[in-house]
Amino acid sequence: MLFTPATRPERASRLAATRADVTVLDLEDAVPVDGKDAARAALAAFAAAVADAAPGLTVVARVNPAGTPWHAADVAAAAVAGVAGLVVPKAERPGTGAAVAAAWAAAGGPAGPLLVAGIESAVGVESAPALLGEGPWSAAYFGAEDYAADVGGRRTPGSLEVLYARSRVAMAAAIAGVPAVDQVVTAYRDDDAFRAECATARDLGYRGKLCIHPDQVPLAHAAFAPSAAELDRARRLLAALREAGGGVASFEGQMVDAPMVRAAEAVLAAAD
């Protein structure tokens, strides 16, 4: 998911060239208070320019959080702007998703919007299972920077200080059956740090990465796509099980059981 300020329509062609899976036109953190109204007014034209540059590209808008002075107007503007849905930051309590979906529909937005919950506060992390379990969320992300600020923590390169929260969001998303997208790497020129964070995110169960610079997009694609070695191992494991007639089998000195089979099948599904 690649974020860009909704105030920068001149980036439309560049966004199209990134091949990000989801492009987010940001009305929240990337826009100062005195620019909120102008960003909202320009949203439709920006979305149209991106669509012209890359037909079929998934474009959504990140609105300001519920309870802020701009939230309702953001949702209403996005509903008629031609975007595919909304990113709702700082989602905290059950009922948020239903309220946003209702506001979208009331403003004339198309049915079935893509709705992404941003879990980035202590309350949001604690409420994540109930919040995501209610629907109608399509995905969720964990926002480490806001979470650390909320609890008074200090961000470190290893992200140990957010491990619990990061893990809880991944778990809550898995329970709800929606993909979880991992935190940003603010050092956008540090490719090694980005790759390392992606590897940890995959280990925790995340399915993708928040990106704040176009150069991060191909790194995320490479990190979250199964490697050739992973694909080969998954295929050989399933083949060993078939040769054994199902049930159980021995593979590379290990007894293959149901969780290993599910993991191998998930690798092949991700590649597809």
Side-chain angles (χ1 to χ4, degrees):
M1 295 181 65
L2 175 63
F3 286 75
T4 197
T7 52
R8 302 296 300 273
E10 73 278 5
R11 294 184 178 180
S13 296
R14 188 181 183 194
L15 288 172
T18 66
R19 300 177 61 85
D21 296 293
V22 179
T23 294
V24 184
L25 307 184
D26 191 12
L27 297 166
E28 193 215 9
D29 284 346
V31 179
V33 170
D34 60 3
K36 299 289 189 187
D37 292 342
R40 188 186 311 115
L43 183 63
F46 194 172
V50 176
D52 288 342
L57 180 67
T58 300
V59 179
V60 300
R62 180 161 74 170
V63 299
N64 283 278
T68 64
W70 314 284
H71 175 77
D74 286 352
V75 174
V80 296
V83 297
L86 304 173
V87 175
V88 184
K90 301 176 180 66
E92 292 187 332
R93 303 184 188 281
T96 301
V100 169
W104 171 275
L114 180 71
L115 296 178
V116 182
I119 311 297
E120 42 195 337
S121 69
V123 172
V125 169
E126 184 66 18
S127 304
L131 171 70
L132 298 180
E134 66 161 4
W137 302 109
S138 310
Y141 74 80
F142 174 61
E145 308 306 318
D146 281 294
Y147 171 80
D150 189 42
V151 301
R154 296 188 301 181
R155 293 291 281 122
T156 67
S159 286
L160 182 62
E161 70 283 355
V162 298
L163 179 59
Y164 166 76
R166 198 178 182 190
S167 301
R168 184 173 173 84
V169 172
M171 178 195 70
I175 293 171
V178 299
V181 186
D182 191 45
Q183 62 200 31
V184 302
V185 175
T186 57
Y188 63 88
R189 297 191 185 280
D190 191 338
D191 292 354
D192 289 339
F194 189 85
R195 292 188 185 98
E197 279 224 358
C198 287
T200 300
R202 278 196 66 186
D203 292 344
L204 291 174
Y206 281 88
R207 302 282 297 278
K209 194 74 170 163
L210 301 181
C211 298
I212 57 172
H213 191 278
D215 289 348
Q216 293 177 327
V217 173
L219 299 177
H221 281 154
F224 284 91
S227 67
E230 288 175 306
L231 287 170
D232 177 65
R233 186 179 188 279
R235 293 185 180 115
R236 289 188 294 106
L237 184 150
L238 295 175
L241 187 65
R242 287 193 299 270
E243 291 173 4
V248 297
S250 177
F251 178 73
E252 295 183 344
Q254 293 179 301
M255 187 62 67
V256 174
D257 56 7
M260 294 176 67
V261 171
R262 290 199 299 271
E265 291 172 341
V267 168
L268 298 182
D272 290 338

